[in-house]
Amino acid sequence: MKYLLFTVMLISLILFTFITGCSKSEKGITSFEDAKTAKLGVMTGSTGEAVARKKFPEAQVNSFDDIMDAVAAIKSGQLDAIITLFPAALQVSKKNPELRLLPEALDKEDTAIAIKKGNDDLLASLDRIISELKSDGTLDSMKGRWLKADLSPYEELDIKLPKEGAVLRIGVSATREPFSFVDEHGRVTGHDGELARLIGARLGRPIEFSNMKFMALIPALQSGKIDLIITGMTASAERKKSVNFTQPYFANTQVMIVKKSASATAGAAADSKTALPPFLQSIATSFRSNIILENRYMLILDGLKTTIVISVLATILGTLLGALVCFMRMSKKKLLNLPARVYISILRGTPVLVLLMLIFYVVFASVNISPVLVAVIAFGMNFAAYSAEIFRTGIEGVDRGQTEAGISLGFTKVTTFLNIVLPQTVRRILPVYKGEFISLVKMTSIVGYIAVQDLTKASDIIRSRTFDAFFPLVMVAILYFLISWLLMQSLEYLERKTDPKSKRSKVACA
Amino acid sequence: MIQVEHLSKKFGDLVVLKDITIEIKTGEVIAIIGPSGTGKSTFLRCLNLLDQPNGGSIAIDGVNILDAKANVPKIRQKMNMVFQSFNLFSHLSVMENLTLGPIKLRGISPKDAELKAMELLKLVGLAEKADNYPDELSGGQKQRVAIARCLAMDPEIILFDEPTSALDPTMVSEVLSVIRRLAKEGMTMAIVTHEMDFARDVANRVLYMDEGLIYEEGTPQQIFETPQKEKTQAFINRVRSFTYQISSPDYDLYAMNAEIENFCEKQILPKKTRHSLLLLVEELLQIYTPGLHGTRLDLAIAYSEKKETLQLTLESSGEAANPLESNFLPDELGLTIIRNLAEDIEFQRVNDKNRLTVLMRKTL
């Protein structure tokens, strides 16, 4: 316990120096002219990225998956400006007093709903619905309610959705306030959330959101995992090659976010003097906005639960599968031995993220399968390759004489293995197995790619609302550490239990 | 009880057992002796099918265990094995080592199994170690536990595979005395061993194995006192030998002397004996050298550890003639030296060859 506390304190200390060390001010950008050789942040695969490369060929362009990552980077001085869509930029400037928007737009573009090629009937009805919403003023009203310059709460329409019928699966990247984000009840909402519900209501179909990484949306659409993408996606020429778009429902612009000049931010900081020391006060504020507000701790708890479920189930699956692969690997028959060797070398030589996406978008492309299950399968398969080799070294490490003694006593090969070799193997491999297990727990942080809301994804969602990079990340780091620590304790308990001598010491104590 | 017929076993191209036929009767204690690598352990391991034989038959109480239908695990319960390296189950306590088999295989209740185990541990003198783990025992203690583990299965025969080879010399006797006690109680046993005195005491029958065969068998008296065959004699008398071949008068004397010295060092012969041996060889070769054209001379030196004797054998082709009696010699000096060093000199004509056997005088 002592060492746990110590670690937590050490992490806090390092982060404290990091945070304070990063708050140096630089000369600000006031026009596009200034940005020519600047460090620019853009969203991966967005039209903003193309614009940035075309208009600022000498600038250093960095791509980010999510806007809050870019915001964290500009705040810590790693970027000079961010190029992104107006609604997102508006949101960022509202929540970050030290940032502002440059008034002119860099580029105009259309936001539309993406749909799989060949799905023409649905495309036609969507086009019809968008025309209706345009003509009856609904889209204008939505724009007024969701794209606000102040921080007053959003007013959302109450839309009745049918309970029965073919589910319309909507792909979103809900880290893009105000288009799509997760509200205090854990629902996907925003301008596009509402639009999706309106469409569902008009089509008479229930809807289901699939919240995934932005770059994973188009593969998901193509593989049939989702029916539509409604998440402020620009109908770019590049994307039109792979998917179809409806008529635009929103006329968008690319704008640039820059830092306010140093004097302006200094003035703002001077106002906020209170009794608490500034560091503690900022922690308290961060805690409130990241954890308490909008019941965000529920997101964290749900994420935590998902992370634990995936880790534990993947470990169980991986162990069982690993035992099978190990059995095949140790067989003298080439028919069993060779596939196991191939399995082990392929699975160990492939990043688990790639495996995860392959299973989700290719193997189970046309099957409606829970992404959590896919994560369990992918991590289980990956874990199996490692555990199979761990088991093999463990089994081969047991002296051949032990097996011979068992057999000559009258045990069969199988009962010798179960009664004599296996207990010795377990004791031998637990330390290595433990390490592999911990690394699995941490590896699960990538499941956000296939729309699973785990601990890391929960922190992404929170960061997308609060634009506070540090607090959610530190908190998630501590939580991962705690999970690993607790799970490690349980394995260590097992390790102690399988040490035969512990039994005797207990007897001696009693 | 066990009837082995024409048993053979090879590992790849290496033939380890050629043709073994033997019967082991209930109550017999059989010691299997012989040089290393002659298939003694393999024979034992074939008996309970730890190694699958390539040919022949093994019948136990009339049941051929090489038959595909035979319930081998069940049969193995009747003949347990004690290994050179003990092979106690390292994750189990001494008590659990003894009770695992009876509980899991013979369906004996844990309570009864423990009572029986305790009795057996008393028998081997290790009752107080019941709760210890194998890695806390000495080698001799481990081997005694292994014997008790065998006994716990109530076997009809115990196979001992060099039970004392991995032990410190100080621990050999504690294990042997346990085996002696079992022999006295009438246990049927087959023991592969290098402890000759023990084999002689404890066995009713001794098998000398060599060349993948049961080379000679008999009562301990027959094998240890009057072995009939040459290899058996050499083994029993613990004979170490050295051979050298000379095919021309210009042989490399220094190389040969170095090899002889090397051989003597290995047998830890005193310096004086070494000098006498070299002198004897030199004088003998002096006599042989003039006649070496076109003939071959085989020189063999045999040292018997048991009798502490050195014996030289010189075999040469050519016409029948005792070289010591021919008249090539310039003087009698060499011959005198040879007679002084030798206790006994014998000449024979064997296989068209002149064989001169010289037994060196012991006091030298």
Side-chain angles (χ1 to χ4, degrees):
Chain A
M1 206 54 205
K2 245 186 215 164
Y3 112 100
L4 175 70
L5 276 176
F6 173 74
T7 319
V8 172
M9 278 169 66
L10 192 70
I11 293 173
S12 322
L13 193 68
I14 291 168
L15 278 156
F16 176 69
T17 38
F18 181 59
I19 294 166
T20 48
C22 280
S23 57
K24 55 175 190 280
S25 65
E26 288 181 17
K27 63 176 175 70
I29 291 175
T30 50
S31 68
F32 291 153
E33 197 60 31
D34 296 340
K36 269 193 170 150
T37 56
K39 283 178 272 180
L40 301 179
V42 297
M43 300 304 108
T44 310
S46 70
T47 41
E49 185 173 10
V51 169
R53 291 192 198 279
K54 205 172 90 194
K55 294 210 172 169
F56 305 102
E58 285 165 58
Q60 185 190 325
V61 178
N62 299 309
S63 304
F64 292 86
D65 269 2
D66 286 305
I67 181 73
M68 67 277 188
D69 294 331
V71 171
I74 195 172
K75 280 161 116 182
S76 65
Q78 290 167 40
L79 289 180
D80 299 319
I82 302 170
I83 294 172
T84 189
L85 288 167
F86 171 70
L90 181 70
Q91 202 63 33
V92 170
S93 68
K94 273 195 307 196
K95 295 203 176 169
N96 297 280
E98 68 268 47
L99 302 177
R100 69 186 183 96
L101 302 188
L102 290 187
E104 331 77 293
L106 276 164
D107 199 14
K108 284 192 172 48
E109 56 192 52
D110 289 328
T111 304
I113 300 172
I115 182 165
K116 193 178 176 179
K117 280 199 189 245
N119 206 346
D120 294 334
D121 290 346
L122 186 59
L123 182 64
S125 30
L126 288 177
D127 273 334
R128 186 175 42 78
I129 293 171
I130 292 172
S131 300
E132 285 168 18
L133 292 173
K134 259 186 200 160
S135 55
D136 68 8
T138 315
L139 280 178
D140 283 339
S141 123
M142 282 167 71
K143 198 170 162 185
R145 279 181 293 111
W146 292 105
L147 274 78
K148 292 188 298 187
D150 59 15
L151 281 168
S152 59
Y154 297 109
E155 299 153 38
E156 196 180 339
L157 282 186
D158 187 24
I159 299 158
K160 289 257 177 310
L161 280 165
K163 294 242 159 41
E164 303 286 314
V167 176
L168 192 63
R169 291 161 304 167
I170 316 279
V172 294
S173 180
T175 52
R176 321 198 131 208
E177 195 176 352
F179 270 129
S180 42
F181 60 95
V182 178
D183 71 2
E184 64 265 40
H185 308 296
R187 298 162 66 238
V188 172
T189 181
H191 178 280
D192 284 6
E194 192 172 297
L195 180 62
R197 289 191 177 87
L198 281 170
I199 288 170
R202 298 218 172 188
L203 288 174
R205 292 171 70 175
I207 63 167
E208 187 182 283
F209 287 105
S210 212
N211 182 7
M212 50 184 83
K213 287 261 174 193
F214 190 78
M215 57 171 279
L217 283 167
I218 288 188
L221 185 66
Q222 286 176 315
S223 68
K225 286 274 155 199
I226 51 178
D227 299 314
L228 302 173
I229 302 171
I230 313 182
T231 192
M233 184 178 268
T234 297
S236 66
E238 192 67 32
R239 289 189 187 125
K240 278 176 184 163
K241 285 178 197 159
S242 32
V243 293
N244 281 337
F245 281 98
T246 59
Q247 59 161 305
Y249 62 86
F250 186 83
N252 220 336
T253 50
Q254 291 280 353
V255 294
M256 188 181 277
I257 306 170
V258 296
K259 273 188 178 172
K260 279 182 187 160
S261 61
S263 57
T265 34
D271 291 339
S272 56
K273 268 191 183 169
T274 51
L276 282 170
F279 175 64
L280 283 184
Q281 198 208 346
S282 80
I283 292 258
T285 319
S286 289
F287 185 77
R288 213 181 93 76
S289 67
N290 287 299
I291 309 291
I292 309 288
L293 227 59
E294 294 190 2
N295 290 342
R296 288 191 175 127
Y297 59 90
M298 286 307 292
L299 273 176
I300 300 276
L301 284 182
D302 282 347
L304 194 65
K305 208 171 72 191
T306 310
T307 295
I308 293 176
V309 165
I310 293 176
S311 306
V312 171
L313 290 183
T315 307
I316 295 170
L317 175 72
T319 306
L320 296 177
L321 189 62
L324 177 71
V325 173
C326 171
F327 165 75
M328 287 169 64
R329 172 71 178 79
M330 291 184 74
S331 161
K332 285 192 185 85
K333 288 187 193 112
K334 203 153 188 183
L335 197 68
L336 292 174
N337 173 327
L338 194 70
R341 275 168 191 269
V342 172
Y343 178 88
I344 291 168
S345 33
I346 288 182
L347 268 284
R348 289 205 303 190
T350 328
V352 67
L353 175 59
V354 176
L355 177 72
L356 186 71
M357 307 243 273
L358 272 176
I359 295 180
F360 192 62
Y361 297 124
V362 181
V363 179
F364 291 118
S366 49
V367 188
N368 190 11
I369 185 171
S370 150
V372 173
L373 190 58
V374 170
V376 169
I377 293 172
F379 286 107
M381 281 174 70
N382 181 263
F383 191 67
Y386 288 92
S387 59
E389 287 296 86
I390 294 176
F391 294 158
R392 187 167 68 95
T393 40
I395 292 168
E396 284 176 354
V398 175
D399 185 35
R400 169 113 194 92
Q402 297 281 321
T403 310
E404 286 188 350
I407 285 179
S408 79
L409 215 53
F411 285 100
T412 61
K413 271 187 183 168
V414 176
T415 51
T416 301
F417 179 78
L418 293 178
N419 285 302
I420 292 149
V421 179
L422 192 63
Q424 297 186 38
T425 307
V426 170
R427 214 172 89 210
R428 215 171 269 264
I429 62 171
L430 262 178
V432 196
Y433 184 81
K434 212 167 58 183
E436 213 49 57
F437 175 61
I438 298 302
S439 90
L440 170 78
V441 172
K442 291 180 295 177
M443 244 181 344
T444 60
S445 62
I446 57 171
V447 290
Y449 275 93
I450 57 161
V452 177
Q453 211 159 302
D454 73 324
L455 195 50
T456 306
K457 189 71 182 255
S459 99
D460 282 355
I461 290 169
I462 293 173
R463 288 197 297 139
S464 77
R465 298 296 307 282
T466 62
F467 292 99
D468 181 350
F470 305 108
F471 197 84
L473 287 178
V474 173
M475 191 178 54
V476 165
I478 293 172
L479 283 174
Y480 271 111
F481 172 75
L482 280 177
I483 305 176
S484 311
W485 187 77
L486 283 174
L487 293 172
M488 206 150 58
Q489 290 302 309
S490 53
L491 276 182
E492 259 163 31
Y493 171 74
L494 196 65
E495 203 175 345
R496 280 197 302 275
K497 264 200 98 169
T498 52
D499 181 4
K501 282 172 195 164
S502 72
K503 264 186 280 173
R504 191 184 46 192
S505 59
K506 241 179 273 162
V507 172
C509 286
Chain B
M1 179 186 169
I2 301 181
Q3 186 83 44
V4 179
E5 264 160 33
H6 307 296
L7 184 73
S8 66
K9 169 75 189 171
K10 50 187 171 190
F11 293 108
D13 289 335
L14 181 72
V15 179
V16 182
L17 299 179
K18 274 184 203 148
D19 181 5
I20 305 259
T21 300
I22 187 190
E23 193 191 349
I24 301 175
K25 296 195 190 79
T26 307
E28 259 189 322
V29 177
I30 293 183
I32 302 165
I33 59 168
S36 305
T38 49
K40 304 187 299 291
S41 291
T42 307
F43 169 58
L44 220 55
R45 293 166 60 87
C46 280
L47 277 185
N48 73 351
L49 301 189
L50 274 183
D51 285 331
Q52 191 70 28
N54 295 96
S57 71
I58 302 171
I60 296 186
D61 294 335
V63 182
N64 183 8
I65 61 169
L66 294 175
D67 192 342
K69 279 177 277 177
N71 183 352
V72 175
K74 194 87 193 158
I75 294 163
R76 283 199 190 108
Q77 293 183 20
K78 291 196 241 168
M79 46 177 195
N80 269 317
M81 190 154 188
V82 173
F83 297 87
Q84 182 178 346
S85 51
F86 329 125
N87 298 347
L88 291 181
F89 303 135
S90 61
H91 64 300
L92 299 177
S93 68
V94 166
M95 173 57 81
E96 290 163 331
N97 261 282
L98 264 66
T99 54
L100 182 73
I103 294 173
K104 300 261 177 192
L105 297 171
R106 302 179 63 215
I108 292 174
S109 76
K111 210 176 160 193
D112 291 347
E114 276 181 30
L115 282 175
K116 174 88 190 284
M118 212 56 201
E119 226 171 82
L120 291 169
L121 285 175
K122 276 180 197 150
L123 178 83
V124 299
L126 288 169
E128 60 171 349
K129 300 281 182 192
D131 290 330
N132 283 68
Y133 280 83
D135 60 0
E136 298 161 338
L137 303 180
S138 74
Q141 290 171 332
K142 281 184 200 173
Q143 198 59 297
R144 284 188 279 155
V145 172
I147 294 170
R149 179 175 67 181
C150 279
L151 293 170
M153 291 296 287
D154 273 334
E156 289 174 21
I157 177 170
I158 303 182
L159 312 173
F160 289 87
D161 185 6
E162 303 195 20
T164 57
S165 299
L167 293 178
D168 255 61
T170 52
M171 295 172 182
V172 170
S173 68
E174 64 186 67
V175 172
L176 295 186
S177 43
V178 167
I179 302 175
R180 278 201 177 94
R181 180 166 174 182
L182 294 180
K184 238 179 256 165
E185 288 173 5
M187 189 79 215
T188 315
M189 298 187 279
I191 308 165
V192 170
T193 184
H194 289 294
E195 301 287 333
M196 295 303 151
D197 294 333
F198 165 73
R200 185 179 187 153
D201 285 3
V202 84
N204 316 119
R205 191 145 58 111
V206 178
L207 311 183
Y208 173 74
M209 280 186 69
D210 207 331
E211 300 176 348
L213 297 166
I214 295 176
Y215 191 80
E216 188 168 349
E217 71 167 288
T219 62
Q221 283 73 21
Q222 285 168 342
I223 297 291
F224 287 103
E225 279 156 33
T226 53
Q228 299 304 305
K229 295 189 180 173
E230 196 183 332
K231 282 199 171 176
T232 320
Q233 287 165 352
F235 181 79
I236 296 298
N237 296 325
R238 271 163 273 178
V239 176
R240 309 280 181 275
S241 62
F242 166 85
T243 57
Y244 198 86
Q245 203 176 71
I246 299 168
S247 48
S248 89
D250 306 319
Y251 66 94
D252 188 344
L253 175 73
Y254 295 101
M256 185 191 73
N257 280 353
E259 280 185 46
I260 294 174
E261 284 216 54
N262 199 4
F263 169 75
C264 293
E265 248 166 59
K266 266 194 206 155
Q267 310 311 324
I268 330 174
L269 298 180
K271 211 171 172 184
K272 206 174 163 199
T273 315
R274 220 182 296 173
H275 284 303
S276 312
L277 178 64
L278 285 173
L279 182 62
L280 180 62
V281 170
E282 195 184 333
E283 291 303 332
L284 281 167
L285 288 178
Q286 284 267 320
I287 296 169
Y288 271 93
T289 308
L292 274 178
H293 286 287
T295 59
R296 217 181 73 177
L297 175 66
D298 287 307
L299 169 71
I301 303 170
Y303 172 69
S304 164
E305 202 180 309
K306 204 175 172 197
K307 297 185 194 157
E308 293 180 1
T309 55
L310 265 169
Q311 181 178 294
L312 275 84
T313 311
L314 294 103
E315 266 187 0
S316 57
S317 43
E319 279 174 36
N322 184 347
L324 297 189
E325 286 166 8
S326 51
N327 295 324
F328 301 124
L329 301 170
D331 54 44
E332 290 284 308
L333 185 63
L335 215 54
T336 319
I337 293 173
I338 292 168
R339 293 218 169 93
N340 270 332
L341 289 170
E343 191 171 290
D344 183 37
I345 302 176
E346 201 186 311
F347 176 78
Q348 278 175 300
R349 180 78 183 169
V350 184
N351 298 339
D352 290 338
K353 277 182 178 172
N354 298 319
R355 181 192 277 179
L356 188 70
T357 314
V358 183
L359 188 66
M360 239 178 78
R361 206 179 284 278
K362 242 184 199 171
T363 47
L364 292 170

